C-alpha cells in the first residue's frame, strides 16, 4: 500500500489552532449535539453528560478522554493478505466513489444497476492504485431495495479481494455486513482482532446524528469494526459560510460521534471523517474542487493530527457533468491537497462525477491515473552521489544529449513514471491513432480492463456459505 | 498583483541541499560551462576565471560573489501603473504561453498568425488573473520573419497595458525591444530606473549558452532590463534521468548565466529560471505535468531561495493535444506546485497545449480559471472570533440550514470564490443550456471577451512615435 513519506503541508498557525480549539469547546458544551438514538443518549447520560431531550451538552474534557481511547492507527484485513491495509500514520488508503444513484458510460447517463456495480467492483480490483472498491460504488437500482445491501457486500467480497466498506442504511444491514465478514474471514474472533469492514457514518449536519446512522454505528462498534465518523458539510447550507466556523462545527460533530464510539466499545478503531465543500451561493448547487474546499481539507489534516486520530478527506471530486477539462482540474484540486494533507482514508478516489450523483466509467480511469501519478510524486527521491550522475556529465559534455549515456541506459526503463492514460503522442501520431481525447482513451481502457478481468480465487465452501446467507436473508427480508 | 502569503512547501532536507551544493560546485569547476560569445568569454577571463576554448571553468566562490550582486527583488513598470509588478519575495507574476508555432481554436489546429497574436494579447489584457501577455504568445507566421519582433512588441505595448517580455532572437532584436520601451516609457533613464521589459534567455542545455541568446542577454543587461536565465531541461535528453542530477545541472547553468549578467552590469535584475520536465523514455516525446516535473519544481523554489534569487518555474503545461481532461489535470499538476513553491515569475500560465507547440484559445480560458482559483486558494483566511459564527449556530441549531442566517446574509455575495468557467449546474439545467462541456463553454467565453475588449488608452503622440519606429526599422530590415 502507499505510504506518504513527504512532508505535510500545514497552514494553521498555533494561534489559529487555539481559536478553533476554543470554538469547538464552546459549541459542543453550549449548543450541544443532537443524537436521535435512545441508546446513545443513555450512554452519554450514564457517563455524566448533560442531556436535554435529544441534545447532549458535552464537557469538552470528557470528549477528549473518550477520543484518547481510540487507537491512533490500526490494521484491516483483506481476503488477499497482500491487500491488507494500515489506517493512520503515513499510510493512505484509496477507495472508489461512494453513493451515486446514476452512472455515465460515454454519452449515456442513466440509473445505476447491479451490473454497473459489478463492473465498477471489477475495475476497482483491476487498478493497483486503489485499495478498495469502497462500498456503494453506485446504487444498484434494479436490485430489490431491502436486500440489495446483501448483493453489494457479496459482490465486494467475491469480485474483489481488497478491503470493503459496510452498509449503513440500518442497524440490521450493519449486522448483515458483519455476519458476512465473519463467514469470509473465519468467525467473529478474526474480524474483532483485525477488522474486515469499515463503514461511513454521516452526520446530519449541523449538529445532529440520525437514528439509522447511529444504529449502524452502534452495531459496528460493538463488533470492533471501524467507522468513519463524518460531518457532511456544504458550507453555506449545512454550516456557516466561513471556513473557520465550518472547521469548528466539523470538530464538534466528529468528536461527539467519536466519543460515542468509545463509550460503546473503548478502543474501537475509528476515523475522523470530513466531507467539506461549499455551495454556489447564487444557485444553491453544491460545488467541488473549490479553493474553499482545498483550504478546508488542508486544515482538516492538521486538526485530525492535533487530536491524534487517523482521518478521512478528499477524493476526485467535481461538479462537472462529463469527464472533461473541468472534471480533470477539479478532481486534482481536491486530490493534490489530499496528498499534501497526508489523508489516511480517501473515499471517492475514482469515478465521481456531477457532484457525486453520477459514477462515471471514464472518470474512474481518469481518477485512477491521477491517483497513481500523485503516488509517484509523493514518494521521496534519493539524493546521493550516484543520483548526481557526475560521470554522465563528463561523458556527454556541453550541448550534447543523454539518450545514450551509460547512466541513462542503466535506468531508462524505470526512471520516470509512465502514465497509462495520458498521451504525449505528437500530433501526427495522435491523429493516426484516431485523434482520441482523454475520455475516449479512458473508455478503451476500462473496456479492456473488464475483458482482462479474472475473479480472484475464493474457497468454494466459503462462497457457498455466503450465497446461502444471502439467500436466507433475502427470503427473510421478503424480497 | 497576487502575493502568496501561504507557507512554502519545501521537500529538500539540509543534507539534500548540501549534496546538491557540492554537486554544482564540482560540475561548474570541473566540467565547466560553454559560452558561445567572445564578449562573455572576455568578461570571465578578465575576472580571473579559467577559460579554455569556449569553456569557462568557474571558481564557485566567484560565482556566488557575482550572484550576491543581483537584487533579491525588483519592480517593473507597466504603462498602466496599476499593472506594475514586483518580482521576488511573496509576489507572483503570471504571463501567457510563450513560443507556440501553432494555434488551436475549437477543432481547428493551424499555423499561428499575427491576428491570433493580437487576439491572445487582447485576452491577456482581459483576464485579471494574468499580469502579462508574456512575449511570443504565438508565432505570427504570416508576418515577415526579420521584422515580426517589431509587430509583436508593438502589439504588446498597445493592445495591453500590462508588462511584456522582450524579443531574444538576436542582440539587434533586443535593441529594438529596448528602444521601443524607451519610447513608451519616456526615455532610457526611466526604463533603467524601473525596467520596462523582461526577457527569456534559454540555455542550450546541457551546459552551453548559445551566441544569439547571449547577444540578447548582453543587450538587456547593459540596459538594466531583467533577464530570466533559464536552463531548458527535459530530463533524459538534456540532462541525466535522475532529478538530483538535473537540479545540479540547473543550478550550474543558471548561476553561470547569472554570474555573466552581474559582470555586464552589477546589480542588474535577474531571475533564476527553470524549465524542467522529462521525456517519455519509450517514445522520446517531451511530457508535462509529470510527477518528476512537480518534484523538480518544488525543489527549484527552495534552491532559488537558498541563493536569494527570484525564480521562474511552472505554468499550465500539458502534453495533451486538445483541451480535455488530461489538459485540465496536467495543467494543475504543474500550477499547484507553482503556487506551493511560491514561484515569482510564471510563464506559460495560460494557453499551453500539445507540449508547447500549440497556443489554444479554449485552453487559455481554462488556465485563467485554474490560476484564478489558485490565487484564491493561496490567500490566507482570517481566523478570529467573528469568523467562528457562533451566533449563527445559536440561531440555526441542530439539523437546520444556514441559507437564511444573519451571518450568511451579511456575507453571501463574497464568501466563496465564484468561477467563470466551471459549471455546477444540475443535469437538467446543464442540458437545457446546451449540454456544453468545458471546452465549449471556454470557447463562448473567449469570444465574448474579444467582443467586449476595448484597447487601453494610449497617448496618440507616443503611439505615432512607436509606429514610426516600427516602419523605419522594418525598412532597414528589408521587409
Amino acid at each position: 500500500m502507499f505510504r506518504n513519506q513527504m512532508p505535510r503541508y500545514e497552514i494553521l498557525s498555533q494561534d489559529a489552532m487555539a481559536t478553533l480549539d476554543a470554538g469547538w469547546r464552546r459549541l459542543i458544551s453550549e449548543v450541544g449535539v443532537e443524537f436521535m438514538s435512545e441508546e446513545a443518549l443513555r450512554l452519554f447520560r450514564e457517563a455524566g453528560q448533560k442531556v436535554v431531550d435529544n441534545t447532549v451538552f458535552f464537557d469538552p474534557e470528557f470528549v477528549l478522554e473518550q477520543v484518547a481511547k481510540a487507537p491512533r492507527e490500526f490494521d484491516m484485513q483483506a481476503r488477499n493478505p497482500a491487500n491488507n491495509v494500515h489506517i493512520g500514520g503515513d499510510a493512505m488508503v484509496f477507495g472508489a466513489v461512494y453513493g451515486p444513484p446514476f452512472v455515465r458510460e460515454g454519452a449515456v447517463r442513466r440509473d445505476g444497476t447491479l451490473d454497473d456495480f459489478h463492473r465498477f467492483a471489477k475495475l476497482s480490483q483491476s487498478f493497483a492504485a486503489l485499495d478498495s472498491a469502497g462500498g456503494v460504488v453506485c446504487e444498484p437500482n434494479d436490485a430489490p431495495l431491502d436486500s440489495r445491501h446483501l448483493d453489494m457486500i457479496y459482490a465486494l467480497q467475491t469480485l474483489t479481494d481488497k478491503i470493503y466498506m459496510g452498509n449503513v442504511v440500518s442497524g440490521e444491514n450493519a449486522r448483515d455486513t458483519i455476519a458476512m465478514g465473519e463467514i469470509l474471514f473465519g468467525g467473529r474472533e478474526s474480524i474483532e482482532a483485525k477488522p474486515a469492514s469499515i463503514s461511513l457514518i454521516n452526520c446530519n449536519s449541523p449538529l445532529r446524528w440520525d437514528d439509522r446512522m447511529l444504529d449502524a454505528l452502534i452495531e459496528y462498534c460493538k463488533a470492533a469494526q471501524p467507522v468513519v465518523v463524518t460531518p457532511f458539510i456544504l458550507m453555506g447550507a449545512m454550516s456557516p459560510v466561513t471556513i473557520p466556523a465550518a472547521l469548528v462545527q466539523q470538530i464538534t460533530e466528529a468528536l461527539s460521534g467519536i466519543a460515542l464510539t468509545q463509550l460503546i466499545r473503548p478502543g474501537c478503531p475509528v476515523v475522523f471523517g470530513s466531507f467539506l465543500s461549499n455551495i454556489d451561493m447564487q444557485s444553491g448547487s453544491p460545488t467541488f474542487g473549490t479553493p474553499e474546499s482545498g483550504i478546508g481539507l488542508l486544515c482538516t489534516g492538521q486538526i485530525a493530527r492535533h487530536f491524534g486520530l487517523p482521518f478521512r478527506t478528499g477524493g476526485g471530486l467535481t461538479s462537472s457533468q462529463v469527464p472533461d477539462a473541468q472534471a480533470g482540474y477539479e478532481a486534482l484540486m481536491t486530490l493534490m491537497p489530499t496528498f499534501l494533507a497526508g489523508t489516511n482514508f480517501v473515499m471517492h478516489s475514482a469515478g465521481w462525477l456531477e457532484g457525486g450523483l453520477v459514477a462515471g466509467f471514464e472518470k474512474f480511469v481518469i481518477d485512477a491515473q491521477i491517483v497513481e501519478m500523485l503516488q509517484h510524486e509523493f514518494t521521496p527521491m534519493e539524493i546521493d552521489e550516484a543520483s548526481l550522475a557526475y560521470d554522465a556529465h563528463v561523458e556527454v559534455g556541453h550541448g550534447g544529449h543523454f539518450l545514450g549515456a551509460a547512466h541513462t541506459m542503466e535506468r531508462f526503463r524505470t526512471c520516470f513514471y509512465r502514465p497509462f492514460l495520458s498521451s504525449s503522442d505528437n500530433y501526427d501520431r495522435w491523429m493516426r491513432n484516431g485523434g482520441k481525447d482523454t475520455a475516449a482513451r479512458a473508455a478503451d481502457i476500462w473496456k479492456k480492463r473488464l475483458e482482462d478481468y479474472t475473479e480472484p480465487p475464493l474457497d468454494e465452501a466459503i462462497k457457498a456459505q455466503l450465497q446461502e446467507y444471502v439467500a436466507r436473508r433475502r427470503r427473510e427480508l421478503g424480497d
Side-chain angles (χ1 to χ4, degrees), chain A:
Chain A
M1 70 175 305
F2 178 72
R3 286 177 179 272
N4 182 342
Q5 296 179 316
M6 294 282 269
R8 301 292 170 265
Y9 184 61
E10 302 204 325
I11 64 176
L12 290 172
S13 67
Q14 282 196 328
D15 280 357
M17 278 296 264
T19 302
L20 297 180
D21 217 46
W24 77 263
R25 284 167 176 268
R26 174 175 54 180
L27 192 59
I28 208 165
S29 57
E30 297 185 17
V31 176
V33 182
E34 266 192 7
F35 288 79
M36 313 306 276
S37 151
E38 281 310 317
E39 189 168 352
L41 294 170
R42 180 182 60 77
L43 286 166
F44 285 127
R45 209 179 285 117
E46 287 174 9
Q49 300 307 291
K50 178 180 165 193
V51 177
V52 179
D53 299 330
N54 288 301
T55 303
V56 183
F57 297 88
F58 287 91
D59 169 5
E61 295 308 323
F62 163 80
V63 172
L64 292 178
E65 279 162 31
Q66 302 311 310
V67 167
K69 294 177 186 167
R72 297 181 76 92
E73 311 185 18
F74 60 91
D75 291 310
M76 283 189 65
Q77 57 179 324
R79 78 173 163 92
N80 178 349
N83 292 330
N84 287 357
V85 300
H86 184 73
I87 295 184
D90 61 10
M92 294 183 72
V93 173
F94 298 89
V97 63
Y98 185 107
F102 303 105
V103 298
R104 177 176 284 275
E105 185 176 344
V108 177
R109 178 191 188 269
R110 55 173 171 71
D111 284 358
T113 65
L114 188 57
D115 179 59
D116 292 322
F117 188 100
H118 288 163
R119 294 192 294 161
F120 278 120
K122 291 174 181 175
L123 290 174
S124 304
Q125 177 70 12
S126 166
F127 282 97
L130 297 182
D131 300 288
S132 173
V136 187
V137 60
C138 71
E139 194 67 36
N141 295 287
D142 56 343
L145 189 62
D146 285 342
S147 63
R148 67 174 61 150
H149 63 288
L150 302 167
D151 300 311
M152 291 191 273
I153 299 294
Y154 180 77
L156 296 168
Q157 291 183 324
T158 54
L159 299 178
T160 85
D161 59 8
K162 300 180 171 181
I163 65 154
Y164 56 86
M165 298 187 71
N167 195 278
V168 295
V169 168
S170 64
E172 190 174 16
N173 285 11
R175 284 193 295 275
D176 281 331
T177 304
I178 294 163
M180 291 174 75
E182 289 170 15
I183 294 171
L184 188 65
F185 291 96
R188 181 74 164 211
E189 207 172 313
S190 164
I191 68 165
E192 291 204 6
K194 195 187 268 195
S197 67
I198 180 167
S199 300
L200 173 65
I201 304 296
N202 276 334
C203 189
N204 182 350
S205 303
L207 303 173
R208 173 184 286 162
W209 293 97
D210 277 343
D211 53 347
R212 294 166 75 91
M213 280 282 172
L214 286 175
D215 289 351
L217 175 144
I218 291 166
E219 293 298 334
Y220 284 121
C221 289
K222 284 180 180 166
Q225 302 303 290
V227 285
V228 186
V229 177
T230 304
F232 187 94
I233 297 179
L234 294 166
M235 292 181 275
M238 294 86 144
S239 86
V241 294
T242 38
I243 298 171
L247 293 172
V248 161
Q249 180 183 326
Q250 181 175 268
I251 297 169
T252 301
E253 292 173 350
L255 295 194
S256 71
I258 291 167
L260 176 60
T261 66
Q262 301 306 309
L263 284 185
I264 296 164
R265 181 166 176 150
C268 175
V270 65
V271 174
F272 182 106
S274 170
F275 181 89
L276 180 58
S277 195
N278 58 285
I279 61 169
D280 176 327
M281 294 306 289
Q282 193 157 316
S283 67
S285 295
T287 59
F288 297 97
T290 64
E292 292 79 10
S293 67
I295 293 166
L297 198 168
L298 294 169
C299 295
T300 297
Q302 199 171 344
I303 289 166
R305 279 188 289 279
H306 176 68
F307 292 111
L309 292 165
F311 70 106
R312 169 238 165 164
T313 58
L317 313 187
T318 179
S319 301
S320 190
Q321 301 82 4
V322 284
D324 61 357
Q326 179 184 336
Y329 67 68
E330 285 188 339
L332 191 54
M333 276 290 280
T334 306
L335 279 167
M336 181 79 87
T338 301
F339 278 76
L340 288 166
T343 303
N344 301 117
F345 193 73
V346 187
M347 296 178 62
H348 310 305
S349 305
W352 170 294
L353 263 184
E354 218 189 287
L357 288 175
V358 172
F361 281 92
E362 289 77 22
K363 179 65 164 28
F364 195 99
V365 178
I366 290 166
D367 290 339
Q369 173 66 88
I370 294 174
V371 169
E372 203 174 273
M373 282 200 298
L374 290 171
Q375 288 175 344
H376 277 76
E377 184 156 337
F378 283 79
T379 299
M381 61 180 162
E382 211 162 336
I383 304 193
D384 57 9
E385 174 61 21
S387 72
L388 298 190
Y390 179 67
D391 290 346
H393 279 296
V394 172
E395 179 184 344
V396 171
H398 311 98
H401 69 76
F402 292 80
L403 295 170
H407 182 267
T408 304
M409 297 312 286
E410 285 162 16
R411 289 167 177 77
F412 76 99
R413 285 186 198 283
T414 57
C415 56
F416 303 133
Y417 171 67
R418 191 148 209 268
F420 54 80
L421 172 63
S422 309
S423 165
S424 59
D425 282 350
N426 66 47
Y427 182 68
D428 288 343
R429 187 179 162 83
W430 179 72
M431 285 298 280
R432 275 201 308 278
N433 288 336
K436 290 180 180 177
D437 71 5
T438 305
R441 295 195 305 274
D444 292 346
I445 290 171
W446 70 256
K447 286 168 188 169
K448 182 72 167 61
R449 292 273 183 149
L450 288 183
E451 270 174 38
D452 295 348
Y453 169 85
T454 51
E455 195 169 310
L458 174 60
D459 184 301
E460 283 302 323
I462 291 175
K463 200 165 177 178
Q465 255 186 292
L466 287 171
Q467 288 168 345
E468 202 176 314
Y469 183 88
V470 168
R472 175 172 66 78
R473 287 289 296 138
R474 202 191 302 279
R475 281 194 306 276
E476 290 171 8
L477 292 164
D479 281 337

